[in-house]
Amino acid sequence: METREKVVKPGIGEKTKRWFRGFGKQWQLQTMILPGVIFMIIFNFIPIYGLSLAFKQYSVTDTIGGAQWIGLDNFKAIMADKYFWESVWNTVGISAIKLTVEFFLPIILAVMIYEIPWAPFKKIVQTFTYLPHFLSWIILGGMLINWLSTNGLINEVLKFIGINAHGNYLLDAGKYWNIAAWSDVWKEAGWGTILYLATMAGIDPTYYEAAEMDGASK
């Protein structure tokens, strides 16, 4: 009759020794990641303490630790505000538009650009589509203000072609969803297009040839 040997699990002291032995074998690599760990502790973990302000009566003259603890009173005050649910609805609506459009539009643009046969024109289109991604919202916000104001670019173009100008689009609450959503699409869709183009460029051309021989359409 066979007897099974009892497996003895290493204790905490043995695990600690193993850890230090492993660390000693690759201390150079561990030292290289140390600045990143310190960065995360300072800028990612320590600021979490500031979340406690949501449960305190805080003013600019107080410290985080010295502010009075009031529990959920701040949340009750926010939810009692008459504009709270309207703000939630606006956030959900704008986010839904951005998520939907920013998912499909980069794919459509990538396919359209990929099918352009003239390489110089393709590069020009690529540049103009992803350039807004590298501009800050301060710059793009100033551009939108100039374009959508009463005497902005859009109204001047409408006047030129004989259409009555609307006024300041940014002051029209009914147009805010579209302005907020499509301005973000304008900024980020080109970057997503570049990522899809890079993936499409890696497809083996023999797949297209095989599909064409099998009678597949474009």
Side-chain angles (χ1 to χ4, degrees):
M1 184 175 180
E2 295 181 359
T3 57
R4 296 182 179 179
E5 295 182 359
K6 186 177 180 181
V7 178
V8 179
K9 295 183 179 180
I12 297 177
E14 182 63 27
K15 289 182 179 180
T16 304
K17 292 179 182 179
R18 290 182 182 179
W19 187 88
F20 277 107
R21 283 198 297 267
F23 181 86
K25 293 178 180 178
Q26 52 178 340
W27 66 269
Q28 298 92 339
L29 296 176
Q30 301 291 347
T31 305
M32 288 175 62
I33 68 170
L34 189 61
V37 173
I38 295 174
F39 179 89
M40 289 191 63
I41 292 173
I42 295 175
F43 294 102
N44 293 86
F45 291 98
I46 294 179
I48 293 176
Y49 175 64
L51 295 177
S52 62
L53 290 177
F55 307 95
K56 294 185 176 183
Q57 185 68 44
Y58 178 77
S59 66
V60 293
T61 59
D62 295 325
T63 61
I64 297 178
Q68 180 185 358
W69 184 271
I70 58 173
L72 298 175
D73 288 354
N74 288 330
F75 295 91
K76 294 177 182 178
I78 291 173
M79 297 187 71
D81 190 278
K82 63 180 181 179
Y83 296 111
F84 173 74
W85 292 109
E86 183 179 350
S87 302
V88 172
W89 174 244
N90 287 335
T91 302
V92 172
I94 294 171
S95 299
I97 295 174
K98 291 196 295 185
L99 288 173
T100 303
V101 177
E102 288 186 9
F103 176 77
F104 291 104
L105 187 60
I107 299 175
I108 297 172
L109 283 174
V111 174
M112 293 174 66
I113 294 174
Y114 189 78
E115 292 295 326
I116 296 176
W118 190 29
F121 181 69
K122 180 185 293 188
K123 292 180 179 179
I124 293 173
V125 174
Q126 284 179 323
T127 302
F128 276 99
T129 52
Y130 73 72
L131 182 61
H133 172 79
F134 298 99
L135 301 179
S136 69
W137 272 113
I138 297 175
I139 298 174
L140 295 181
M143 294 170 63
L144 290 172
I145 291 173
N146 289 330
W147 291 353
L148 302 173
S149 62
T150 304
N151 297 319
L153 176 65
I154 293 178
N155 283 333
E156 292 298 324
V157 172
L158 293 177
K159 291 177 185 178
F160 180 77
I161 61 179
I163 300 176
N164 293 330
H166 178 274
N168 195 327
Y169 294 90
L170 295 174
L171 299 180
D172 189 342
K175 292 182 171 56
Y176 180 74
W177 276 28
N178 285 321
I179 293 173
W182 285 97
S183 60
D184 189 76
V185 171
W186 169 49
K187 187 177 189 301
E188 301 298 340
W191 179 250
T193 300
I194 296 301
L195 300 180
Y196 283 113
L197 281 172
T199 303
M200 295 169 66
I203 297 176
D204 191 342
T206 58
Y207 291 156
Y208 297 111
E209 298 173 0
E212 186 176 356
M213 292 179 62
D214 291 338
S217 62
K218 187 173 290 292

